[in-house]
mmCIF file of all heavy atoms in Angstrom:
data_model
loop_
_atom_site.group_PDB
_atom_site.id
_atom_site.type_symbol
_atom_site.label_atom_id
_atom_site.label_comp_id
_atom_site.label_asym_id
_atom_site.label_seq_id
_atom_site.Cartn_x
_atom_site.Cartn_y
_atom_site.Cartn_z
ATOM 1 N N LYS A 6 0.845 -1.189 0.000
ATOM 2 C CA LYS A 6 0.000 0.000 0.000
ATOM 3 C C LYS A 6 0.887 1.247 0.000
ATOM 4 O O LYS A 6 1.736 1.410 0.872
ATOM 5 C CB LYS A 6 -0.908 0.011 1.227
ATOM 6 C CG LYS A 6 -1.948 -1.096 1.244
ATOM 7 C CD LYS A 6 -2.787 -1.001 2.503
ATOM 8 C CE LYS A 6 -3.815 -2.131 2.555
ATOM 9 N NZ LYS A 6 -4.608 -2.059 3.831
ATOM 10 N N ILE A 7 0.651 2.123 -0.994
ATOM 11 C CA ILE A 7 1.493 3.307 -1.169
ATOM 12 C C ILE A 7 0.676 4.564 -0.891
ATOM 13 O O ILE A 7 -0.430 4.734 -1.417
ATOM 14 C CB ILE A 7 2.073 3.367 -2.594
ATOM 15 C CG1 ILE A 7 2.823 2.064 -2.920
ATOM 16 C CG2 ILE A 7 3.014 4.567 -2.732
ATOM 17 C CD1 ILE A 7 3.230 1.947 -4.375
ATOM 18 N N LEU A 8 1.232 5.430 -0.070
ATOM 19 C CA LEU A 8 0.614 6.704 0.261
ATOM 20 C C LEU A 8 1.475 7.822 -0.298
ATOM 21 O O LEU A 8 2.649 7.945 0.049
ATOM 22 C CB LEU A 8 0.483 6.851 1.786
ATOM 23 C CG LEU A 8 -0.227 8.082 2.331
ATOM 24 C CD1 LEU A 8 -1.678 8.114 1.870
ATOM 25 C CD2 LEU A 8 -0.166 8.089 3.859
ATOM 26 N N PHE A 9 0.928 8.631 -1.201
ATOM 27 C CA PHE A 9 1.640 9.745 -1.820
ATOM 28 C C PHE A 9 1.293 11.039 -1.088
ATOM 29 O O PHE A 9 0.118 11.406 -0.989
ATOM 30 C CB PHE A 9 1.276 9.869 -3.296
ATOM 31 C CG PHE A 9 1.685 8.685 -4.125
ATOM 32 C CD1 PHE A 9 0.823 7.611 -4.308
ATOM 33 C CD2 PHE A 9 2.931 8.645 -4.733
ATOM 34 C CE1 PHE A 9 1.187 6.519 -5.085
ATOM 35 C CE2 PHE A 9 3.302 7.554 -5.513
ATOM 36 C CZ PHE A 9 2.436 6.490 -5.678
ATOM 37 N N GLU A 10 2.289 11.730 -0.624
ATOM 38 C CA GLU A 10 2.106 12.908 0.226
ATOM 39 C C GLU A 10 2.475 14.186 -0.526
ATOM 40 O O GLU A 10 3.640 14.386 -0.884
ATOM 41 C CB GLU A 10 2.972 12.768 1.477
ATOM 42 C CG GLU A 10 2.982 13.967 2.394
ATOM 43 C CD GLU A 10 3.962 13.818 3.543
ATOM 44 O OE1 GLU A 10 4.791 12.893 3.520
ATOM 45 O OE2 GLU A 10 3.897 14.649 4.465
ATOM 46 N N GLY A 11 1.482 15.039 -0.765
ATOM 47 C CA GLY A 11 1.738 16.316 -1.408
ATOM 48 C C GLY A 11 2.137 17.392 -0.412
ATOM 49 O O GLY A 11 1.836 17.301 0.783
ATOM 50 N N ALA A 12 2.814 18.409 -0.905
ATOM 51 C CA ALA A 12 3.173 19.571 -0.087
ATOM 52 C C ALA A 12 2.392 20.787 -0.575
ATOM 53 O O ALA A 12 1.881 20.802 -1.689
ATOM 54 C CB ALA A 12 4.676 19.828 -0.177
ATOM 55 N N GLN A 13 2.287 21.809 0.248
ATOM 56 C CA GLN A 13 1.483 22.998 -0.044
ATOM 57 C C GLN A 13 0.027 22.616 -0.345
ATOM 58 O O GLN A 13 -0.458 21.630 0.193
ATOM 59 C CB GLN A 13 2.094 23.815 -1.192
ATOM 60 C CG GLN A 13 3.423 24.456 -0.852
ATOM 61 C CD GLN A 13 4.603 23.686 -1.400
ATOM 62 O OE1 GLN A 13 4.570 22.852 -2.264
ATOM 63 N NE2 GLN A 13 5.726 23.968 -0.869
ATOM 64 N N GLY A 14 -0.661 23.380 -1.147
ATOM 65 C CA GLY A 14 -2.051 23.111 -1.475
ATOM 66 C C GLY A 14 -2.309 23.352 -2.948
ATOM 67 O O GLY A 14 -1.505 23.990 -3.652
ATOM 68 N N ILE A 15 -3.458 22.871 -3.425
ATOM 69 C CA ILE A 15 -3.788 22.969 -4.847
ATOM 70 C C ILE A 15 -3.858 24.413 -5.318
ATOM 71 O O ILE A 15 -3.499 24.726 -6.465
ATOM 72 C CB ILE A 15 -5.115 22.241 -5.122
ATOM 73 C CG1 ILE A 15 -4.928 20.728 -4.903
ATOM 74 C CG2 ILE A 15 -5.619 22.510 -6.547
ATOM 75 C CD1 ILE A 15 -6.216 19.950 -4.857
ATOM 76 N N LEU A 16 -4.296 25.321 -4.448
ATOM 77 C CA LEU A 16 -4.408 26.726 -4.832
ATOM 78 C C LEU A 16 -3.054 27.416 -4.966
ATOM 79 O O LEU A 16 -2.979 28.577 -5.364
ATOM 80 C CB LEU A 16 -5.281 27.475 -3.824
ATOM 81 C CG LEU A 16 -6.728 26.984 -3.751
ATOM 82 C CD1 LEU A 16 -7.479 27.703 -2.645
ATOM 83 C CD2 LEU A 16 -7.440 27.191 -5.085
ATOM 84 N N LEU A 17 -1.977 26.678 -4.645
ATOM 85 C CA LEU A 17 -0.621 27.168 -4.863
ATOM 86 C C LEU A 17 0.043 26.486 -6.051
ATOM 87 O O LEU A 17 1.231 26.700 -6.303
ATOM 88 C CB LEU A 17 0.228 26.964 -3.601
ATOM 89 C CG LEU A 17 -0.145 27.817 -2.385
ATOM 90 C CD1 LEU A 17 0.704 27.421 -1.181
ATOM 91 C CD2 LEU A 17 0.025 29.305 -2.674
ATOM 92 N N ASP A 18 -0.704 25.686 -6.787
ATOM 93 C CA ASP A 18 -0.176 25.016 -7.972
ATOM 94 C C ASP A 18 0.280 26.053 -9.000
ATOM 95 O O ASP A 18 -0.407 27.045 -9.238
ATOM 96 C CB ASP A 18 -1.258 24.111 -8.574
ATOM 97 C CG ASP A 18 -0.755 23.272 -9.728
ATOM 98 O OD1 ASP A 18 -0.671 23.811 -10.853
ATOM 99 O OD2 ASP A 18 -0.450 22.084 -9.512
ATOM 100 N N VAL A 19 1.433 25.815 -9.620
ATOM 101 C CA VAL A 19 1.991 26.798 -10.540
ATOM 102 C C VAL A 19 1.124 26.999 -11.779
ATOM 103 O O VAL A 19 1.175 28.059 -12.419
ATOM 104 C CB VAL A 19 3.438 26.401 -10.932
ATOM 105 C CG1 VAL A 19 3.444 25.143 -11.824
ATOM 106 C CG2 VAL A 19 4.180 27.559 -11.585
ATOM 107 N N ASP A 20 0.298 26.023 -12.134
ATOM 108 C CA ASP A 20 -0.613 26.144 -13.269
ATOM 109 C C ASP A 20 -2.035 26.485 -12.856
ATOM 110 O O ASP A 20 -2.722 27.233 -13.557
ATOM 111 C CB ASP A 20 -0.632 24.846 -14.079
ATOM 112 C CG ASP A 20 0.646 24.624 -14.863
ATOM 113 O OD1 ASP A 20 1.064 25.534 -15.591
ATOM 114 O OD2 ASP A 20 1.221 23.542 -14.752
ATOM 115 N N HIS A 21 -2.502 25.928 -11.747
ATOM 116 C CA HIS A 21 -3.906 26.016 -11.374
ATOM 117 C C HIS A 21 -4.177 26.877 -10.149
ATOM 118 O O HIS A 21 -5.338 27.040 -9.761
ATOM 119 C CB HIS A 21 -4.464 24.607 -11.136
ATOM 120 C CG HIS A 21 -4.341 23.717 -12.324
ATOM 121 N ND1 HIS A 21 -5.115 23.870 -13.447
ATOM 122 C CD2 HIS A 21 -3.516 22.664 -12.574
ATOM 123 C CE1 HIS A 21 -4.790 22.953 -14.346
ATOM 124 N NE2 HIS A 21 -3.821 22.214 -13.840
ATOM 125 N N GLY A 22 -3.144 27.448 -9.562
ATOM 126 C CA GLY A 22 -3.319 28.261 -8.376
ATOM 127 C C GLY A 22 -3.485 29.733 -8.675
ATOM 128 O O GLY A 22 -3.689 30.140 -9.826
ATOM 129 N N THR A 23 -3.405 30.564 -7.638
ATOM 130 C CA THR A 23 -3.579 32.007 -7.768
ATOM 131 C C THR A 23 -2.278 32.654 -8.248
ATOM 132 O O THR A 23 -1.633 33.431 -7.546
ATOM 133 C CB THR A 23 -4.035 32.619 -6.426
ATOM 134 O OG1 THR A 23 -3.184 32.146 -5.360
ATOM 135 C CG2 THR A 23 -5.467 32.228 -6.122
ATOM 136 N N TYR A 24 -1.919 32.333 -9.464
ATOM 137 C CA TYR A 24 -0.699 32.793 -10.122
ATOM 138 C C TYR A 24 -0.679 34.324 -10.241
ATOM 139 O O TYR A 24 -1.694 34.922 -10.560
ATOM 140 C CB TYR A 24 -0.644 32.169 -11.519
ATOM 141 C CG TYR A 24 0.673 32.315 -12.241
ATOM 142 C CD1 TYR A 24 1.655 31.328 -12.148
ATOM 143 C CD2 TYR A 24 0.937 33.420 -13.015
ATOM 144 C CE1 TYR A 24 2.858 31.444 -12.835
ATOM 145 C CE2 TYR A 24 2.134 33.557 -13.691
ATOM 146 C CZ TYR A 24 3.097 32.562 -13.598
ATOM 147 O OH TYR A 24 4.297 32.684 -14.267
ATOM 148 N N PRO A 25 0.475 34.988 -9.954
ATOM 149 C CA PRO A 25 1.811 34.441 -9.679
ATOM 150 C C PRO A 25 2.092 34.126 -8.212
ATOM 151 O O PRO A 25 3.219 33.785 -7.868
ATOM 152 C CB PRO A 25 2.718 35.569 -10.165
ATOM 153 C CG PRO A 25 1.956 36.808 -9.813
ATOM 154 C CD PRO A 25 0.498 36.470 -10.058
ATOM 155 N N PHE A 26 1.090 34.271 -7.344
ATOM 156 C CA PHE A 26 1.296 34.029 -5.918
ATOM 157 C C PHE A 26 1.137 32.538 -5.621
ATOM 158 O O PHE A 26 0.201 32.109 -4.916
ATOM 159 C CB PHE A 26 0.318 34.878 -5.098
ATOM 160 C CG PHE A 26 0.444 36.346 -5.370
ATOM 161 C CD1 PHE A 26 -0.409 36.979 -6.259
ATOM 162 C CD2 PHE A 26 1.431 37.098 -4.764
ATOM 163 C CE1 PHE A 26 -0.300 38.340 -6.526
ATOM 164 C CE2 PHE A 26 1.556 38.460 -5.024
ATOM 165 C CZ PHE A 26 0.695 39.075 -5.908
ATOM 166 N N VAL A 27 2.054 31.762 -6.165
ATOM 167 C CA VAL A 27 1.994 30.307 -6.093
ATOM 168 C C VAL A 27 3.385 29.755 -5.789
ATOM 169 O O VAL A 27 4.361 30.500 -5.719
ATOM 170 C CB VAL A 27 1.475 29.713 -7.425
ATOM 171 C CG1 VAL A 27 0.029 30.111 -7.659
ATOM 172 C CG2 VAL A 27 2.344 30.175 -8.614
ATOM 173 N N THR A 28 3.464 28.453 -5.615
ATOM 174 C CA THR A 28 4.754 27.799 -5.486
ATOM 175 C C THR A 28 5.294 27.478 -6.879
ATOM 176 O O THR A 28 4.675 27.810 -7.888
ATOM 177 C CB THR A 28 4.641 26.537 -4.606
ATOM 178 O OG1 THR A 28 5.951 26.072 -4.256
ATOM 179 C CG2 THR A 28 3.857 25.429 -5.314
ATOM 180 N N SER A 29 6.449 26.813 -6.961
ATOM 181 C CA SER A 29 7.109 26.589 -8.252
ATOM 182 C C SER A 29 6.913 25.185 -8.788
ATOM 183 O O SER A 29 7.560 24.791 -9.756
ATOM 184 C CB SER A 29 8.613 26.874 -8.117
ATOM 185 O OG SER A 29 8.838 28.214 -7.740
ATOM 186 N N SER A 30 6.015 24.427 -8.185
ATOM 187 C CA SER A 30 5.772 23.058 -8.630
ATOM 188 C C SER A 30 4.280 22.819 -8.801
ATOM 189 O O SER A 30 3.454 23.647 -8.413
ATOM 190 C CB SER A 30 6.351 22.051 -7.631
ATOM 191 O OG SER A 30 5.738 22.190 -6.349
ATOM 192 N N ASN A 31 3.937 21.688 -9.375
ATOM 193 C CA ASN A 31 2.545 21.281 -9.503
ATOM 194 C C ASN A 31 2.128 20.505 -8.259
ATOM 195 O O ASN A 31 2.696 19.463 -7.955
ATOM 196 C CB ASN A 31 2.328 20.433 -10.742
ATOM 197 C CG ASN A 31 2.420 21.239 -12.023
ATOM 198 O OD1 ASN A 31 3.348 21.100 -12.805
ATOM 199 N ND2 ASN A 31 1.435 22.102 -12.257
ATOM 200 N N THR A 32 1.131 21.033 -7.557
ATOM 201 C CA THR A 32 0.701 20.454 -6.291
ATOM 202 C C THR A 32 -0.529 19.566 -6.425
ATOM 203 O O THR A 32 -0.994 19.004 -5.436
ATOM 204 C CB THR A 32 0.402 21.577 -5.274
ATOM 205 O OG1 THR A 32 -0.641 22.411 -5.801
ATOM 206 C CG2 THR A 32 1.628 22.441 -5.028
ATOM 207 N N VAL A 33 -1.082 19.463 -7.630
ATOM 208 C CA VAL A 33 -2.281 18.657 -7.844
ATOM 209 C C VAL A 33 -1.955 17.166 -7.742
ATOM 210 O O VAL A 33 -0.794 16.755 -7.849
ATOM 211 C CB VAL A 33 -2.937 18.966 -9.207
ATOM 212 C CG1 VAL A 33 -3.491 20.385 -9.211
ATOM 213 C CG2 VAL A 33 -1.934 18.770 -10.341
ATOM 214 N N ALA A 34 -2.985 16.352 -7.574
ATOM 215 C CA ALA A 34 -2.798 14.927 -7.327
ATOM 216 C C ALA A 34 -2.080 14.201 -8.456
ATOM 217 O O ALA A 34 -1.314 13.260 -8.215
ATOM 218 C CB ALA A 34 -4.151 14.270 -7.066
ATOM 219 N N SER A 35 -2.308 14.626 -9.697
ATOM 220 C CA SER A 35 -1.677 13.946 -10.825
ATOM 221 C C SER A 35 -0.155 14.040 -10.797
ATOM 222 O O SER A 35 0.533 13.233 -11.423
ATOM 223 C CB SER A 35 -2.208 14.504 -12.149
ATOM 224 O OG SER A 35 -2.051 15.912 -12.212
ATOM 225 N N SER A 36 0.380 15.010 -10.061
ATOM 226 C CA SER A 36 1.829 15.150 -9.934
ATOM 227 C C SER A 36 2.461 14.004 -9.159
ATOM 228 O O SER A 36 3.676 13.824 -9.208
ATOM 229 C CB SER A 36 2.183 16.474 -9.256
ATOM 230 O OG SER A 36 1.786 17.559 -10.039
ATOM 231 N N ALA A 37 1.654 13.262 -8.428
ATOM 232 C CA ALA A 37 2.186 12.104 -7.709
ATOM 233 C C ALA A 37 2.818 11.107 -8.673
ATOM 234 O O ALA A 37 3.820 10.463 -8.354
ATOM 235 C CB ALA A 37 1.092 11.432 -6.888
ATOM 236 N N ALA A 38 2.229 10.993 -9.864
ATOM 237 C CA ALA A 38 2.754 10.064 -10.862
ATOM 238 C C ALA A 38 4.076 10.561 -11.440
ATOM 239 O O ALA A 38 5.072 9.831 -11.469
ATOM 240 C CB ALA A 38 1.724 9.852 -11.971
ATOM 241 N N THR A 39 4.105 11.814 -11.893
ATOM 242 C CA THR A 39 5.321 12.350 -12.504
ATOM 243 C C THR A 39 6.420 12.595 -11.479
ATOM 244 O O THR A 39 7.600 12.480 -11.790
ATOM 245 C CB THR A 39 5.034 13.658 -13.256
ATOM 246 O OG1 THR A 39 4.389 14.584 -12.372
ATOM 247 C CG2 THR A 39 4.129 13.403 -14.451
ATOM 248 N N GLY A 40 6.035 12.939 -10.251
ATOM 249 C CA GLY A 40 7.015 13.259 -9.215
ATOM 250 C C GLY A 40 7.619 12.064 -8.515
ATOM 251 O O GLY A 40 8.469 12.212 -7.636
ATOM 252 N N SER A 41 7.183 10.861 -8.917
ATOM 253 C CA SER A 41 7.727 9.655 -8.301
ATOM 254 C C SER A 41 8.129 8.603 -9.328
ATOM 255 O O SER A 41 8.876 7.682 -9.009
ATOM 256 C CB SER A 41 6.717 9.054 -7.323
ATOM 257 O OG SER A 41 5.533 8.653 -7.992
ATOM 258 N N GLY A 42 7.587 8.729 -10.556
ATOM 259 C CA GLY A 42 7.955 7.789 -11.603
ATOM 260 C C GLY A 42 7.049 6.578 -11.691
ATOM 261 O O GLY A 42 7.479 5.493 -12.074
ATOM 262 N N CYS A 43 5.796 6.759 -11.309
ATOM 263 C CA CYS A 43 4.838 5.671 -11.485
ATOM 264 C C CYS A 43 3.706 6.164 -12.387
ATOM 265 O O CYS A 43 3.478 7.367 -12.513
ATOM 266 C CB CYS A 43 4.275 5.211 -10.138
ATOM 267 S SG CYS A 43 3.315 6.449 -9.260
ATOM 268 N N GLY A 44 3.011 5.255 -13.013
ATOM 269 C CA GLY A 44 1.937 5.641 -13.905
ATOM 270 C C GLY A 44 0.714 6.126 -13.155
ATOM 271 O O GLY A 44 0.520 5.806 -11.973
ATOM 272 N N PRO A 45 -0.155 6.901 -13.822
ATOM 273 C CA PRO A 45 -1.370 7.402 -13.165
ATOM 274 C C PRO A 45 -2.312 6.292 -12.716
ATOM 275 O O PRO A 45 -3.124 6.495 -11.815
ATOM 276 C CB PRO A 45 -2.019 8.290 -14.237
ATOM 277 C CG PRO A 45 -1.405 7.871 -15.527
ATOM 278 C CD PRO A 45 -0.031 7.398 -15.208
ATOM 279 N N ASN A 46 -2.202 5.111 -13.349
ATOM 280 C CA ASN A 46 -3.047 3.991 -12.928
ATOM 281 C C ASN A 46 -2.640 3.427 -11.569
ATOM 282 O O ASN A 46 -3.316 2.563 -11.020
ATOM 283 C CB ASN A 46 -3.054 2.880 -13.985
ATOM 284 C CG ASN A 46 -1.669 2.320 -14.269
ATOM 285 O OD1 ASN A 46 -0.652 2.859 -13.835
ATOM 286 N ND2 ASN A 46 -1.623 1.231 -15.028
ATOM 287 N N THR A 47 -1.549 3.939 -11.021
ATOM 288 C CA THR A 47 -1.137 3.556 -9.671
ATOM 289 C C THR A 47 -2.054 4.172 -8.618
ATOM 290 O O THR A 47 -2.226 3.635 -7.535
ATOM 291 C CB THR A 47 0.317 3.998 -9.415
ATOM 292 O OG1 THR A 47 1.174 3.392 -10.386
ATOM 293 C CG2 THR A 47 0.799 3.607 -8.021
#
């Protein structure tokens, strides 16, 4: 069983947050796949 832990919040997502007052990474759930190297079907 794998638990993926995000940092910050979705409203700070560099694409979907209150830009430019955001962080420098994607904080949405789909980033768990790209940020760890597993497919979205995980």
Side-chain angles (χ1 to χ4, degrees):
K6 294 180 182 178
I7 305 171
L8 184 62
F9 296 90
E10 175 186 12
Q13 293 100 17
I15 293 168
L16 297 175
L17 292 175
D18 186 279
V19 69
D20 288 308
H21 301 288
T23 49
Y24 192 92
F26 302 97
V27 294
T28 192
S29 299
S30 61
N31 288 111
T32 60
V33 293
S35 55
S36 296
T39 54
S41 63
C43 64
N46 59 350
T47 301

